Amino acid sequence: MNHLFTQTMARAPDDPVNARLGALLEAFMNRVAHPRGRALAFLTRSSVTVDQAILVDHALTRPGSTPTSLAATMNLSLPSISQMIERLARLGMLRRTEDPADRRRKTIAATPKARRFLRELQAVRSQEFSAGAAALSPATQQRLVAALERALAELDPDPSAGAPR
């Protein structure tokens, strides 16, 4: 789950092009995904909230994270993160491990169940976006694909960054 709008606005909030891009991305996402509700239905069936799914993704993509680092990354309180970690550990998605050098320090790791969950969520979201964008003409779809590929390459030069996990 990439927070493109947040990252973009943080760089240049007063830039009118940047503000327009943010508004257009939000409007596009609202039109192609949210009305169908498939991703939210998947989360509900999985007993996972949006914030919890983001936390699982962060735990997977940031190995060795601690509750404190995850709280800072997500801009949430440590008690909130701790409660989410506890809930996700009970669901079998996260594992807490004590640091052998400092038993007070806990690292958080995603489990194989979390990896499967994120793959399934990504598939549901991709299908939802594809279905929402199906009304676009083939030419517009091709231009959008090319623009998004260029944008993702500029945001993260790692070619595997946009690839499914």
Side-chain angles (χ1 to χ4, degrees):
M1 295 189 189
N2 190 340
H3 305 297
L4 173 63
F5 182 75
T6 304
Q7 292 170 353
T8 304
M9 292 304 290
R11 279 200 318 261
D14 297 327
D15 178 358
V17 172
N18 187 279
R20 181 82 175 128
L21 175 62
L24 287 169
L25 286 171
E26 181 181 15
F28 183 77
M29 294 304 295
N30 286 339
R31 295 276 292 279
V32 300
H34 302 305
R36 286 160 193 76
R38 293 177 187 149
L40 293 175
F42 174 80
L43 290 172
T44 300
R45 284 191 308 275
S46 302
S47 299
V48 175
T49 67
V50 172
D51 282 346
Q52 290 169 351
I54 293 168
L55 176 59
V56 169
D57 185 63
H58 285 318
L60 179 65
T61 58
R62 294 170 172 82
S65 292
T66 64
T68 301
S69 68
L70 291 166
T73 298
M74 292 182 65
N75 198 28
L76 294 172
S77 70
L78 185 56
S80 293
I81 290 293
S82 295
Q83 287 177 352
M84 282 195 275
I85 290 169
E86 178 62 30
R87 171 109 171 76
L88 291 164
R90 282 195 310 266
L91 289 173
M93 291 196 195
L94 295 181
R95 182 177 54 251
R96 289 180 294 256
T97 307
E98 287 183 358
D99 182 334
D102 181 356
R103 293 182 52 174
R104 294 171 297 171
R105 185 174 187 273
K106 308 276 190 265
T107 57
I108 308 302
T111 66
K113 182 177 181 178
R115 285 181 177 81
R116 282 190 306 278
F117 164 79
L118 289 174
R119 274 193 307 271
E120 290 174 25
L121 177 59
Q122 182 180 28
V124 167
R125 292 182 76 212
S126 291
Q127 290 167 0
E128 190 166 39
F129 298 150
S130 294
L136 298 173
S137 71
T140 298
Q141 288 181 21
Q142 289 174 345
R143 286 192 303 272
L144 185 57
V145 165
L148 289 171
E149 285 174 343
R150 281 193 309 275
L152 288 169
E154 286 182 30
L155 288 170
D156 189 353
D158 177 4
S160 67
R165 285 183 201 113

